[in-house]
Amino acid sequence: MANAKLAGAKSLAHQMILVTGGAGFIGANFVLDWLARAGEPLVNLDKLTYAGNLTSLASIATDARHLFVRGDIGDAGLVRSLLERHRPRAIVNFAAETHVDRSIHGPGDFIQTNVVGTFALLDCIRAWWRELPPTARDAFRFLHVSTDEVYGSLGPGDPPFSETTAYAPNSPYAASKGSSDHLVRAYHHTYGLPTLTTNCSNNYGPRQFPEKLIPLMIVNALEGRPLPVYGDGRNVRDWLYVGDHASAVRTVLEKGRPGETYNVGGNAEMANIDVVRTICRVVHARRPELDCERLVTFVKDRPGHDRRYAIDASKIRRELGWTPSETFESGLRRTIDWYLDNGDWLASVQNAEYRKWVDLQYA
Ligand code: NAD
Ligand code: TYD
């Protein structure tokens, strides 16, 4: 894909954006939405780890506005050459290691990409950005996509996380994301880099790798395998449909104030066991022969398992006018229908490496 698109992309200096991690779950949905909405061309830098999948981008494989580059955000030489060649007006950083359970088994990759990689990316951007002409420098944006997990865990009666809640990360994943948020903040305060940070709640939707709760449960339900619920199943998450996260990122990129952070959430707090039972109901409605509730299996809890996340998204609603458009039920129906209709995508990610992970985590 890369070479064929290079010539066209080059002539569009400043009329394009650079997206990192755009072959992952949220990044791919963002890229597809961006191009469907006639957004400008974009360069998509992704390392293609186990979580990156070009099948997710198959529908834009011949779209001249999409230039895919396989590479690491921590590769300063590559990032520098992409910046000099394409001169993006904005960068959206989705690239990260993202699965909490994997961060418990092996935190090293999380530190490498989420902390060291984000630092290398920021530092290349700073060096390039400060040489831009003043108008381009002022107009430039670096949007860092982060998570509500940096705030730690809430008790049942605690108010939801706001942008002023103190960081208290509990997993290696959350700690690595929190570190990257601090670096982004420091690059704004120290160097004036026009940064924006979003801290979003749990996403679900099409093209999510089936290691996270919702796609794992859908896939196991369809295959008649156990539905492993950690602990007592009463841990609470706030759920947001991925298309709504993509629209929040577009809104913050367009209207957000440099240096600010914005919490993004779906106003849809649910206990895990209720999420799983809802999945079972929708799957049963679509495929009456599948009775999955009997597959629910309570398993050993995750170490350090955060009890509750909840987001106060009033700042992005009040200041930028963003609200989600899907309810949990409507988004979940769309998600399950997508998995039912996309067996090829699913087969492409359920490879030997995936089976090995499932065996390691659930044996
Ligand atoms: P994902 O794991 O599905 O995808 C991550 C993508 O980043 C993959 O395509 C992978 O190949 C790529 N990548 C990993 N390391 C890289 C590196 N060093 N250089 C370049 N590319 C690299 O993740 P996701 O769920 O799409 O999450 C995207 C972002 O959103 C992450 O920063 C995550 O912390 C944040 N986030 C996720 C959620 C969620 O519920 N999934 C919620 C809030 C915030
Ligand atoms: P997950 O999708 O891994 O997201 P996060 O840990 O980032 O919130 O998990 C969501 C919730 O579901 C979390 O409380 C852990 C729980 N969970 C299970 O009960 N069973 C599972 O097999 C998985 C993957 C998660």
Side-chain angles (χ1 to χ4, degrees):
M1 228 184 289
N3 292 339
K5 309 296 177 307
L6 219 54
K10 243 173 134 174
S11 61
L12 290 160
H14 292 300
Q15 295 299 325
M16 62 153 48
I17 66 168
L18 171 63
V19 172
T20 73
F25 163 48
I26 305 170
N29 280 283
F30 174 85
V31 165
L32 294 172
D33 283 5
W34 180 269
L35 295 179
R37 283 159 201 279
E40 71 240 60
L42 60 86
V43 177
N44 183 351
L45 172 63
D46 193 297
K47 189 177 173 183
L48 293 182
T49 67
Y50 78 92
N53 185 355
L54 284 179
T55 313
S56 296
L57 301 169
S59 65
I60 53 168
T62 57
D63 190 322
R65 296 169 302 163
H66 180 232
L67 171 65
F68 182 80
V69 178
R70 183 173 193 176
D72 194 318
I73 57 167
D75 181 344
L78 173 63
V79 170
R80 205 175 302 123
S81 76
L82 291 176
L83 295 174
E84 282 165 4
R85 178 173 300 180
H86 301 293
R87 302 170 68 78
R89 69 166 180 91
I91 296 170
V92 183
N93 184 32
F94 291 100
E97 290 292 336
T98 64
H99 190 36
V100 172
D101 292 323
R102 289 193 193 242
S103 83
I104 293 167
H105 284 282
D109 288 347
F110 289 72
I111 303 306
Q112 195 54 44
T113 282
N114 302 358
V115 186
V116 181
T118 305
F119 160 69
L121 179 67
L122 275 167
D123 214 46
C124 280
I125 293 168
R126 173 178 74 89
W128 167 79
W129 165 82
R130 71 176 173 204
E131 303 300 333
L132 290 175
T135 41
R137 208 162 51 219
D138 289 349
F140 179 79
R141 297 288 181 269
F142 175 78
L143 192 156
H144 180 61
V145 179
S146 192
T147 165
D148 61 356
E149 304 195 23
V150 297
Y151 298 121
S153 184
L154 294 169
D158 289 340
F161 303 131
S162 77
E163 287 79 1
T164 55
T165 303
Y167 275 33
N170 290 321
S171 71
Y173 164 64
S176 68
K177 291 296 292 187
S179 306
S180 67
D181 294 6
H182 290 325
L183 286 168
V184 171
R185 177 189 162 91
Y187 270 64
H188 174 73
H189 278 265
T190 306
Y191 306 112
L193 190 70
T195 62
L196 300 157
T197 299
T198 54
N199 293 91
C200 188
S201 61
N202 285 59
N203 283 215
Y204 66 99
R207 306 174 188 85
Q208 187 169 26
F209 193 80
E211 64 185 354
K212 306 272 167 64
L213 179 73
I214 289 185
L216 180 80
M217 296 296 159
I218 296 172
V219 168
N220 284 9
L222 297 179
E223 293 175 355
R225 296 156 66 92
L227 308 181
V229 176
Y230 296 162
D232 64 2
R234 303 307 311 171
N235 299 66
V236 171
R237 298 293 183 264
D238 169 71
W239 293 97
L240 182 72
Y241 186 70
V242 66
D244 283 325
H245 190 183
S247 80
V249 169
R250 288 196 303 274
T251 302
V252 173
L253 193 57
E254 193 192 328
K255 302 193 225 163
R257 278 183 293 137
E260 293 292 315
T261 69
Y262 296 91
N263 280 1
V264 182
N267 204 17
E269 271 186 68
M270 280 178 86
N272 293 336
I273 186 64
D274 298 328
V275 170
V276 174
R277 292 203 171 115
T278 310
I279 292 170
C280 290
R281 270 202 309 282
V282 178
V283 168
H284 186 62
R286 297 291 193 263
R287 295 271 170 90
E289 72 279 13
L290 297 176
D291 172 20
C292 351
E293 282 222 28
R294 65 187 173 78
L295 299 173
V296 171
T297 310
F298 290 92
V299 300
K300 193 159 75 68
D301 208 354
R302 170 189 281 174
H305 194 175
D306 284 341
R307 192 62 176 171
R308 174 178 166 239
Y309 302 147
I311 279 274
D312 173 356
S314 57
K315 178 177 173 182
I316 186 172
R317 186 176 63 238
R318 194 178 57 247
E319 294 188 8
L320 309 185
W322 175 87
T323 50
S325 57
E326 298 287 344
T327 64
F328 183 70
E329 291 273 344
S330 68
L332 189 66
R333 280 197 299 273
R334 288 180 69 161
T335 304
I336 290 176
D337 286 343
W338 188 87
Y339 280 91
L340 286 170
D341 293 343
N342 287 276
D344 288 353
W345 182 92
L346 211 43
S348 78
V349 299
Q350 288 179 304
N351 52 22
E353 202 278 338
Y354 174 72
R355 298 285 172 207
K356 215 166 118 191
W357 164 253
V358 171
D359 287 348
L360 174 71
Q361 176 64 10
Y362 300 100

